[in-house]
Amino acid sequence: LLTDFIDWFKPDLILSMKTELVHPELIKQQTAITALWHPDYENPLPEWLVNLADAYDYFFTVCKGMTEEFHVGDHSIKPLWLPEAYCDFRIKPVNVSGVEKEKYGSDVAFIGTDKPRPVKVLERVVAEGFNLKIWGAQVNNGWKNAGLEKYWIGYRTTDEELSKICASSKIILGVSEEKKRNCAVCFSARVYQTCGARGFLLEERSKGIEEMFSDGTDLVLWDNEDDLASKIKKYLENQD
């Protein structure tokens, strides 16, 4: 079906995201310019991605600094930096009703999955007594195992709901997985989305984030769990 569509449409450019199921040989056969954009951080790159990247004319990564060349046989591939961004097609500032504010609102909201680091940070948030709601998937039983399941809404959030959560919650908490990574700039798309929906984002400081956003103007950055607890308390007491 894909080859039939390409033959009919005759594109000038074929832009792919991830596309694990597309065979490299199919890409090599195309006469159009081809570009692969991989919106996840993986280092070292998995074999399937290396082989696929080699088939494209251009390979982009969301991580600035992850631009060292790597080799596939006789070929040399140098990734280019193409960061994520914000589009208001689905996630945007919205007005919410009183009923929606009750449903989607909380003092602190976390939107994401139950990876070990967010679980650890949210344990501290609960221990400090802050009102919390967790939005997103549970894939590792992380919320349940940490005793956080009662704060979890129970399902993965839609884009429309994300906008309502940002409009209803006092603080959106961002937890970075990037500190252990050797990139100059690399952080979650949730940063763009939350700011674009005009949520108040309390985001963990990560490499290069201040190249893109202004601390205290676009968002507020936290450095460790003590700093996080202090800033949550500060802003809940000074909501203006």
Side-chain angles (χ1 to χ4, degrees):
L1 291 176
L2 179 58
T3 53
D4 290 343
F5 180 79
I6 291 173
D7 290 341
W8 169 78
F9 190 70
K10 295 181 174 55
D12 298 313
L13 169 67
I14 298 174
L15 175 62
S16 303
M17 278 181 60
K18 287 192 176 182
T19 52
E20 296 96 322
L21 302 181
V22 175
H23 198 281
E25 289 304 318
L26 174 63
I27 300 302
K28 290 178 180 179
Q29 293 168 9
Q30 305 310 313
T31 57
I33 296 172
T34 58
L36 173 63
W37 184 47
H38 191 63
D40 285 342
Y41 177 93
E42 294 181 87
N43 192 13
L45 297 173
E47 185 177 357
W48 71 264
L49 180 57
V50 170
N51 292 333
L52 188 60
D54 182 50
Y56 283 83
D57 296 316
Y58 298 97
F59 174 51
F60 295 96
T61 171
V62 295
C63 299
K64 184 178 181 181
M66 185 184 162
T67 54
E68 67 278 6
E69 291 188 4
F70 57 94
H71 301 275
V72 181
D74 297 331
H75 300 148
S76 177
I77 302 172
K78 184 173 179 60
L80 303 171
W81 181 47
L82 181 63
E84 294 174 287
Y86 167 70
C87 172
D88 63 3
F89 180 66
R90 298 185 68 178
I91 298 173
K92 55 193 172 185
V94 296
N95 295 317
V96 292
S97 66
V99 172
E100 288 175 322
K101 191 161 188 176
E102 180 70 22
K103 177 180 179 179
Y104 294 105
S106 60
D107 286 347
V108 181
F110 175 78
I111 307 167
T113 56
D114 57 332
K115 295 179 180 178
R117 176 144 177 74
V119 169
K120 180 175 180 291
V121 171
L122 294 185
E123 285 181 305
R124 175 64 184 272
V125 170
V126 168
E128 293 288 340
F130 299 119
N131 172 247
L132 171 70
K133 284 183 180 177
I134 301 172
W135 302 84
Q138 179 175 227
V139 296
N140 304 306
N141 278 330
W143 310 134
K144 181 179 179 179
N145 293 339
L148 296 171
E149 200 165 29
K150 66 180 179 180
Y151 304 98
W152 178 47
I153 301 305
Y155 59 91
R156 182 171 181 150
T157 313
T158 66
D159 289 345
E160 181 182 2
E161 286 181 314
L162 192 149
S163 299
K164 292 179 180 179
I165 294 165
C166 289
S168 305
S169 303
K170 295 174 183 176
I171 294 172
I172 308 295
L173 173 59
V175 180
S176 174
E177 292 282 334
E178 321 307 335
K179 284 190 173 182
K180 60 189 178 184
R181 299 172 176 173
N182 59 345
C183 291
V185 177
C186 187
F187 44 83
S188 170
R190 192 77 72 225
V191 175
Y192 299 100
Q193 295 167 340
T194 303
C195 292
R198 295 183 184 173
F200 175 66
L201 179 61
L202 189 52
E203 172 72 15
E204 186 172 12
R205 194 182 307 274
S206 59
K207 295 177 183 177
I209 193 168
E210 289 173 271
E211 291 184 27
M212 309 282 283
F213 297 93
S214 175
D215 184 13
T217 301
D218 302 317
L219 42 66
V220 174
L221 299 175
W222 60 275
D223 293 294
N224 53 57
E225 292 176 27
D226 289 339
D227 185 42
L228 172 63
S230 174
K231 285 178 176 173
I232 291 175
K233 185 174 186 295
K234 169 187 173 181
Y235 285 101
L236 289 179
E237 292 176 351
N238 299 276
Q239 294 184 30
D240 58 320

